[in-house]
């Protein structure tokens, strides 16, 4: 539950290269509640805009 909540908050607060990716990741997190956060941590971090 904590991992799920962390990933959801991170998605909502982040800017993505493609704004549709934010919606896609939210749907993945909501519907794949166990594998979704793990997939986001592995794959989703690369699609975010990095702030330096």
């Amino acid at each position: 539950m904590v991992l799920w909540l962390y990933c959801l908050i991170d998605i909502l607060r982040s800017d993505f290269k493609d704004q549709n990716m934010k919606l896609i990741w939210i749907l993945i997190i909501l519907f794949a509640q166990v594998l979704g956060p793990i997939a986001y941590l592995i794959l989703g971090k690369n699609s975010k805009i990095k702030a330096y």
Side-chain angles (χ1 to χ4, degrees), residues 19-37:
Q19 287 302 313
N20 292 328
M21 288 305 294
K22 183 180 277 195
L23 178 63
I24 291 169
W25 279 116
I26 289 173
L27 292 174
I28 290 172
I29 295 293
L30 291 177
F31 290 116
Q33 292 188 1
V34 175
L35 297 177

Side-chain angles (χ1 to χ4, degrees), residues 1-21:
M1 176 79 177
V2 174
L3 180 63
W4 182 83
L5 189 60
Y6 166 77
C7 289
L8 191 60
I9 291 171
D10 188 51
I11 291 169
L12 293 173
R13 298 178 89 197
S14 299
D15 291 325
F16 288 84
K17 296 174 187 173
D18 181 11
Q19 287 302 313
N20 292 328
M21 288 305 294

